[in-house]
């Protein structure tokens, strides 16, 4: 019941976002207000015209599975079997759901780091997992390794990591990943790694935990097309895992969606073969957007925690005197015309996030500047 109430609260915030009045600047929900690259859209149109419009193979269109495996090898150095170790899903959200439903049994203990993306808790609750949450604290949101060591045991089935991290923008360091890996190997624990923002790592190198010694065989690595190519509505995601873990998640996948839109999968294969210059330009553009929002929020009067990755920024709203994050976001929406997300909705214990709000910078530069100017004009400390 407690989980259901928390998720209901988050769902209401989503409904607020989906029903915004005209003139509200949406710096809340993590989708761009600009479109993805033309070459990918043209590839989807061509696939439709070429008659690739029927059910796809359940595990994914072969050319996409190959492209995913090739991209993963370039990023991590790990050779992947595209037929037996790659599963295409309905976005990363379904990759996580299929992983949980396919590999977690009722009563299994799963460790999460809070704040966290809300679907983790919902999916684990559906599987009947025992959820253990470890809070990450501002300003650097470092993993409390000693606390993690005290919790991990033979009763732990899996640890969920998300790097770059939503909503903090934190990048898990090599030291943190090595510590997690050591604990997992010692206690025979799985890792569910959400890496949807891996190409939006600005200041710290992104490292896939699956690439560390002894970790590929116990890791499910999840990703998607959405954030890297600004195509959130396509819902093309995937899970990479050794065959013994892939088997389990595919059993769940076959009864959740079975397969994704065939022409969009064909276009996704084209996207993943984009030249390296695409990713260089992507980071350059997002660094500039990050600077606009971070410096702008500081000028407004927030205490800001600049992210090392993702397109999210957490800011401390307490200088403005509102009771908590929900009250502040309501004021910001109604009186300023800017939407942000209260951080407490990302926390299993809402008290952990009550001083923070989340903004996004996956918007065009002018929208970011206008939002900052509105806050400068109407927010009073």
């Amino acid at each position: 019941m407690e989980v259901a109430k928390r998720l209901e609260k988050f769902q209401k915030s989503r409904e607020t976002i989906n029903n915004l009045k005209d003139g509200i600047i949406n710096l809340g929900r993590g989708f761009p207000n600009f479109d993805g690259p033309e070459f990918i859209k043209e590839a989807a149109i061509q696939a439709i015209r070429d008659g690739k419009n029927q059910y796809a193979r359940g595990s994914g269109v072969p050319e996409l599975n190959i492209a995913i495996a090739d991209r993963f090898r370039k990023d991590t150095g790990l050779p992947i079997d595209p037929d037996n170790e790659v599963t295409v899903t309905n976005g990363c959200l379904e990759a996580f759901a299929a992983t949980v439903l396919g590999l977690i049994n009722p009563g299994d203990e799963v460790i999460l780091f809070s704040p966290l993306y809300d679907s983790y808790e919902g999916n684990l609750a559906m599987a009947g997992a025992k959820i253990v949450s470890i809070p990450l604290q501002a300003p650097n949101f470092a993993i409390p390794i000693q606390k993690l060591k005290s919790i991990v045991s033979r009763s732990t089935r899996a640890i969920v990591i998300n790097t770059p991290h939503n909503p903090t923008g934190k990048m898990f360091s090599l030291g943190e990943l090595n510590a997690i890996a050591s604990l997992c190997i010692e206690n025979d624990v799985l890792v569910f790694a959400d890496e949807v923002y891996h190409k939006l790592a600005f200041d710290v190198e992104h490292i896939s935990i699956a690439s560390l010694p002894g970790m590929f065989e116990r890791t499910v690595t999840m990703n998607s097309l959405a954030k890297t190519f600004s195509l959130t509505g396509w819902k093309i995601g995937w899970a990479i895992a050794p065959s013994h873990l892939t088997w389990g998640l595919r059993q769940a996948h076959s009864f959740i969606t079975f397969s994704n839109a065939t022409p969009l999968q064909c276009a996704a294969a084209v996207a993943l073969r984009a030249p390296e210059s695409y990713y260089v330009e992507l980071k350059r553009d997002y660094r500039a957007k990050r600077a606009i929002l971070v410096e702008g929020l500081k000028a407004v009067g927030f205490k800001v925690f600049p992210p090392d990755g993702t397109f999210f920024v957490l800011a401390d709203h307490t200088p403005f005197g509102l009771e908590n994050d929900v009250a502040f976001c309501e004021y910001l929406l109604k009186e300023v015309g800017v939407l942000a997300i209260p951080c407490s909705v990302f926390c299993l214990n809402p008290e952990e996030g009550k001083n923070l709000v989340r903004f996004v910078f996956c918007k065009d530069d002018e929208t970011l500047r206008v939002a900052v100017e509105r806050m400068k004009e109407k927010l009073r400390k």
Side-chain angles (χ1 to χ4, degrees), residues 30-41:
F31 64 88
N33 69 341
F34 45 86
D35 218 350
E38 289 298 318
F39 77 94
I40 307 175
K41 293 186 288 183

Side-chain angles (χ1 to χ4, degrees), residues 78-98:
L78 292 172
I80 301 298
D81 180 345
D83 290 324
N84 297 308
E85 296 178 332
V86 177
T87 305
V88 177
T89 59
N90 191 270
C92 190
L93 196 154
E94 195 237 319
F96 189 83

Side-chain angles (χ1 to χ4, degrees), residues 224-237:
S224 80
L225 199 73
K227 309 305 190 297
T228 306
F229 294 97
S230 303
L231 296 166
T232 61
W234 284 25
K235 299 298 291 180
I236 301 293

